[in-house]
Amino acid sequence: MELQILQNQINPHFLYNTLDSIVWLAERQRNKDVITTVVSLAHFFRISISKGEIFISVEDEIFHVQSYLTIQSIRYGDKFTYTVNIDENMKTMKVMKLILQPLVENAIYHGVGDEGGEICITGSLEGDFMVFRVMNTGYGITERQIAEMYETMHGSRERPSIGIRNVYQRLKLYYEIG
């Protein structure tokens, strides 16, 4: 139940902002962008719900992130580009759903400056582990900011943004990691 509550904390403001963007696009007669945004939003929520399943295929998790990135690309125009490179052998493997989108969201909001940038999402098999990386060409973060993120993940520091902490807590709950 606690795991479900954490999954439901994924940012509801995304929905409000996306609906606002759809209205803005419609007012400007950008019909193709309206259609693309609505289709991507439908895909995004279809995978978010995933019939109540906690685990989905890596391919579905990546499709979920790509739906999110499509929406954000239309919303922000040329602010960023993105690439996704996932090991083909991973695509049918199962992963906890909604672990990448909050990280990608952070990469957009906190890692891509006003001058724009690129977000790169990779997935590889390293030994017995699936390793995902979300990188950006932004300005980077300080050691202090890394420490603050660590404190946020472990609940000793409150932050308005819950994305990284949410992912960490869900993984921790399921795998009982310290």
Side-chain angles (χ1 to χ4, degrees):
M1 181 137 143
E2 191 172 350
L3 185 62
Q4 188 64 40
I5 290 168
L6 286 169
Q7 282 183 330
N8 290 337
Q9 285 182 348
I10 298 298
N11 195 349
H13 296 292
F14 167 69
L15 176 59
Y16 307 139
N17 292 339
T18 303
L19 293 173
D20 285 343
S21 294
I22 291 168
V23 170
W24 183 86
L25 292 167
E27 288 173 345
R28 282 151 187 79
Q29 308 299 312
R30 291 177 55 186
N31 296 335
K32 287 184 180 181
D33 287 337
V34 168
I35 292 167
T36 300
T37 303
V38 170
V39 168
S40 293
L41 187 62
H43 289 291
F44 179 87
F45 280 110
R46 188 172 294 119
I47 292 173
S48 293
I49 295 167
S50 299
K51 299 177 186 171
E53 297 295 322
I54 295 172
F55 288 88
I56 60 176
S57 70
V58 169
E59 185 170 41
D60 283 345
E61 179 71 3
I62 296 302
F63 188 62
H64 182 259
V65 168
Q66 288 174 319
S67 296
Y68 175 79
L69 283 163
T70 297
I71 292 165
Q72 298 298 55
S73 292
I74 291 170
R75 184 169 178 224
Y76 290 108
D78 295 332
K79 183 176 180 179
F80 67 91
T81 59
Y82 67 90
T83 58
V84 178
N85 186 8
I86 303 297
D87 183 327
E88 287 293 322
N89 295 320
M90 293 174 63
K91 290 189 176 181
T92 58
M93 297 174 136
K94 297 288 185 177
V95 66
M96 185 177 287
K97 71 179 175 184
L98 307 179
I99 59 169
L100 291 176
Q101 182 272 327
L103 304 178
V104 170
E105 181 177 340
N106 277 355
I108 293 170
Y109 293 131
H110 304 294
V112 176
D114 292 334
E115 69 281 352
E118 182 177 344
I119 296 169
C120 181
I121 303 161
T122 63
S124 60
L125 292 171
E126 297 181 16
D128 292 335
F129 297 96
M130 288 188 284
V131 177
F132 295 95
R133 290 180 177 88
V134 177
M135 300 166 280
N136 63 62
T137 57
Y139 43 83
I141 58 176
T142 66
E143 289 296 323
R144 180 66 200 138
Q145 288 170 316
I146 292 171
E148 288 174 3
M149 285 175 31
Y150 184 81
E151 291 169 8
T152 298
M153 286 187 334
H154 289 86
S156 59
R157 177 184 179 93
E158 280 299 316
R159 298 286 304 237
S161 174
I162 61 168
I164 291 175
R165 181 171 186 211
N166 180 290
V167 171
Y168 173 77
Q169 292 294 329
R170 288 186 296 119
L171 290 170
K172 181 180 173 185
L173 278 169
Y174 188 81
Y175 291 108
E176 298 181 29
I177 56 177

